[in-house]
Amino acid sequence: MLSPALRAAIAQHFGTPAIVVDLDRVEANIARLQALCDRAGIANRPHIKTHKSPVLARQQVEAGAAGIACQKLGEVEVMAQAGLDDILLTYNLLGEQKLGRLGRLLAERPTRITVAADNPVTVAGLPEAARIGGRDLGVVVECDTGRKRAGVETPAEAVALARDIAARPGLAFRGLMLYPPTGAPETTQRFLDETLAGLRAHGLEAPIVSSGGTPGLAEIGAIRGVTEHRAGTGIFNDRMMMAAGIATLEECALSVLATVVSRAAPERGILDSGSKTLTSDVGGLDGHGLILDYPEARITGFAEEHGFLDLSACAARPAVGETVEVIPNHVCVVVNMVDALVTVRGGAIAGLLPVAARGRIV
Amino acid sequence: MLSPALRAAIAQHFGTPAIVVDLDRVEANIARLQALCDRAGIANRPHIKTHKSPVLARQQVEAGAAGIACQKLGEVEVMAQAGLDDILLTYNLLGEQKLGRLGRLLAERPTRITVAADNPVTVAGLPEAARIGGRDLGVVVECDTGRKRAGVETPAEAVALARDIAARPGLAFRGLMLYPPTGAPETTQRFLDETLAGLRAHGLEAPIVSSGGTPGLAEIGAIRGVTEHRAGTGIFNDRMMMAAGIATLEECALSVLATVVSRAAPERGILDSGSKTLTSDVGGLDGHGLILDYPEARITGFAEEHGFLDLSACAARPAVGETVEVIPNHVCVVVNMVDALVTVRGGAIAGLLPVAARGRIV
């Protein structure tokens, strides 16, 4: 928990709501995730969608990460322009505008960039980016081993798409990308084994087999053949990660400093953090955040700048004007709400960290 | 619906997801809301939290609005610096940092600013802003007539707080602020009548009785004594307003142009608009938006940059690479996700409109 003196200083300098990141904890989290990957003999490719900051991405690389993952082309652009290298864009890139931007990035920067594809339309478009860029573009096939999101659903489709990629001018087949469900590594293993065998039968190799997810860190090493792991949330952690048993409260590096702005009735209150700060992401949890000072309080709902507090279970209750510290349900979307995070280190304010890759529309 | 040619031009220039605002419809909505207020003989004070744009706020004033409402001090600062006048901050302002900022704004700009308060702690802090500003600060008492959000719960509390305000140096009691529940005007009427009588008994007048809400426009004029109405969403409208019978599809001025990026199975698809674009605000509706091209499709959930489509009810289904137009559940939070909106007029791209007051952390 932020000390009373530090809270007062943050409120004094930046007001509330402030999205506060403890850099000591961030470094510990970065080191812990790197050590997990190192122990498993798997390359670490942190997903920067969580923080959108080249400064933190660089720290992750300096701690041993082999590269980074991005979820949007705008994130890739910001990271490449900041000098980050070996970027995996885990997204189907489509449309002339995006292919042109990717092509220009390939032409202007030496950055190693690999993109994901799960369908022939995406694959058919990518050579245009390679052509504009004047160099080959690496492509991995996104595979769905049970989450029912993006990704081909069968090994046969994965092999067919890999062959399609390998046959296209300007594209280099680089391997496979997975986001496996947790708790069922054997399903993913069967999919992966069959796909790799199918690739070999067609003379193709998969130098990259990228797995992902912060919850998946609990099973790291369980799927043979995986070469790297993408985890995003673990740099900060949140209430979802705590609920999943992935992180302790002491490993939560981000919190929202909020002020109680109304106490219209004994059992109710209002925080100055609503859906435009904590976001409506529920993540399967009860309530919209954990109030460290009043853990029995529930954030039951939101207006845009109001968080509605049910205090009926609280023995002690906050007064108007009191600041409270909230662990949000889902950090990745909370970071995305502001232009800068307030950073602290050693119990004192360190400064402001721009969320450099957020809000970009072109 | 955006024409195929306009969609292609937007995708070409800005890529997707693009948050698109039809300026012709915006003007029609502004005029319609103004006419509703005019007919009821009630001043129009649009709430700019929906658009956060001084350009649109100025259009609202030019169409006849008496002033504007803001939900955050950062919005007030942006609007005042852009020359907007008569601003009501519908929020309990607390803490030295915010009071100092408000004071400096009062000192540096001639803007008429009124703030809301629902408790004595807020009221006790406000004279400091007036002192720094070197001029009186208007204050209205926020009253809760049934929504159980912010606002005093009884007429007696409202009168006591008004007397507290009137007795403070630097503060001027300006009246009452309500956000009444819809469908029960008589409850609000009783609260208001009793409060106004109590104020008169203590020699206080309420020149402002501010009511609000876009849904509340359907009952405008139903509460005697209301002097002005604050509506935000109505400038753009959304799926919530359509579901509430407040707006037709033709009155929806904002949509998200999205691309189908994956179709891994016949009954499923993925949009490039996830919780970082459409937001997880559900608003009591089924699904996360209305896809105009495929109204039977459901957006069942989100990853951050993925919208999960259930296409099982659709006869025709979109192909990968196809663009679709989505009416979001709740426009106010969607606008807040980007630095700029794409504007169209007369069926052609007009330009980019900065969301000037978003993301501000200080």
Side-chain angles (χ1 to χ4, degrees), chain A:
Chain A
M1 266 216 306
L2 302 169
S3 72
L6 184 50
R7 285 179 185 212
I10 293 167
Q12 170 78 32
H13 281 83
F14 305 107
T16 64
I19 303 182
V20 183
V21 166
D22 183 320
L23 295 176
D24 297 318
R25 290 188 178 189
V26 164
E27 283 173 22
N29 288 344
I30 289 174
R32 186 181 312 108
L33 266 60
Q34 185 64 48
L36 267 175
C37 291
D38 289 348
R39 270 204 299 279
I42 287 173
N44 181 26
R45 184 186 292 281
H47 204 313
I48 62 79
K49 53 137 190 167
T50 302
H51 54 71
K52 296 191 180 228
S53 159
V55 176
L56 295 184
R58 192 177 306 278
Q59 281 189 33
Q60 291 172 312
V61 169
E62 284 169 0
I68 59 171
C70 294
Q71 198 69 0
K72 306 178 58 166
L73 183 56
E75 293 170 1
V76 176
E77 288 166 333
V78 167
M79 295 296 149
Q81 281 152 12
L84 275 297
D85 197 13
D86 198 341
I87 301 176
L88 174 62
L89 175 55
T90 54
Y91 209 85
N92 280 299
L93 216 59
L94 285 155
E96 200 178 329
Q97 195 255 10
K98 289 210 169 63
L99 295 168
R101 282 163 61 190
L102 176 58
R104 288 191 293 281
L105 195 59
L106 290 171
E108 291 164 12
R109 306 279 322 179
T111 320
R112 275 169 295 173
I113 298 176
T114 305
V115 301
D118 80 350
N119 68 79
V121 178
T122 299
V123 169
L126 294 173
E128 174 65 6
R131 189 192 63 74
I132 297 168
R135 58 185 172 106
D136 277 5
L137 175 63
V139 186
V140 293
V141 172
E142 182 168 5
C143 303
D144 186 341
T145 65
R147 283 190 187 262
K148 301 282 177 196
R149 297 170 34 144
V152 297
E153 286 199 324
T154 66
E157 289 173 280
V159 172
L161 202 58
R163 295 181 68 198
D164 186 2
I165 292 163
R168 300 258 177 193
L171 302 189
F173 173 67
R174 296 287 297 279
L176 307 173
M177 186 184 95
L178 321 165
Y179 184 47
T182 53
E186 58 290 343
T187 312
T188 300
Q189 189 71 63
R190 272 197 304 275
F191 191 114
L192 180 58
D193 290 347
E194 193 176 332
T195 305
L196 291 173
L199 291 172
R200 278 191 300 270
H202 288 94
L204 292 172
E205 285 188 62
I208 297 173
V209 178
S210 183
S211 186
T214 295
L217 283 168
E219 297 173 8
I220 195 164
I223 300 164
R224 292 178 310 281
V226 165
T227 65
E228 65 174 40
H229 193 90
R230 314 175 313 277
T233 311
I235 189 170
F236 293 148
N237 290 311
D238 54 24
R239 191 163 169 245
M240 278 166 62
M241 291 305 114
M242 288 173 64
I246 300 296
T248 65
L249 180 56
E250 290 64 38
E251 291 164 357
C252 288
L254 181 147
S255 59
V256 175
L257 187 66
T259 299
V260 177
V261 294
S262 174
R263 282 294 314 283
E267 77 287 355
R268 294 194 294 114
I270 306 272
L271 282 188
D272 65 354
S273 299
S275 61
K276 283 179 174 171
T277 301
L278 291 169
T279 88
S280 296
D281 267 29
V282 176
L285 302 176
D286 176 57
H288 291 278
L290 169 65
I291 302 179
L292 297 182
D293 318 71
Y294 299 93
E296 296 85 10
R298 286 184 66 237
I299 304 174
T300 58
F302 289 130
E304 289 155 47
E305 308 291 355
H306 283 165
F308 303 139
L309 295 180
D310 174 359
L311 304 170
S312 52
C314 302
R317 295 172 184 184
V320 169
E322 199 172 319
T323 58
V324 297
E325 189 178 350
V326 183
I327 304 292
N329 284 6
H330 187 192
V331 281
C332 306
V333 287
V334 171
V335 167
N336 189 51
M337 303 308 278
V338 288
D339 289 338
L341 307 171
V342 175
T343 56
V344 300
R345 185 190 290 282
I349 292 173
L352 284 175
L353 182 70
V355 185
R358 75 141 301 287
R360 293 166 62 89
I361 68 125
V362 292

Side-chain angles (χ1 to χ4, degrees), chain B residues 55 76 143 163 230 240 281 286-287 312 346:
Chain B
V55 175
V76 176
C143 303
R163 296 181 66 199
R230 314 176 311 278
M240 279 166 61
D281 267 29
D286 176 58
S312 51

Side-chain angles (χ1 to χ4, degrees), chain B residues 310-330:
Chain B
D310 174 359
L311 303 171
S312 51
C314 302
R317 294 172 183 184
V320 169
E322 198 172 319
T323 57
V324 297
E325 189 178 350
V326 184
I327 303 293
N329 284 5
H330 186 192

Side-chain angles (χ1 to χ4, degrees), chain B residues 210-286:
Chain B
S210 182
S211 186
T214 294
L217 284 169
E219 298 174 9
I220 195 163
I223 300 164
R224 294 178 308 280
V226 165
T227 65
E228 64 173 41
H229 192 91
R230 314 176 311 278
T233 310
I235 188 170
F236 294 148
N237 291 313
D238 53 25
R239 193 164 168 244
M240 279 166 61
M241 291 306 114
M242 288 173 63
I246 300 299
T248 64
L249 180 57
E250 289 63 40
E251 291 164 357
C252 287
L254 182 148
S255 60
V256 175
L257 187 66
T259 300
V260 177
V261 294
S262 174
R263 281 293 316 281
E267 76 287 356
R268 294 194 294 114
I270 306 274
L271 281 187
D272 65 354
S273 298
S275 61
K276 283 178 174 171
T277 301
L278 291 169
T279 89
S280 297
D281 267 29
V282 177
L285 302 177
D286 176 58

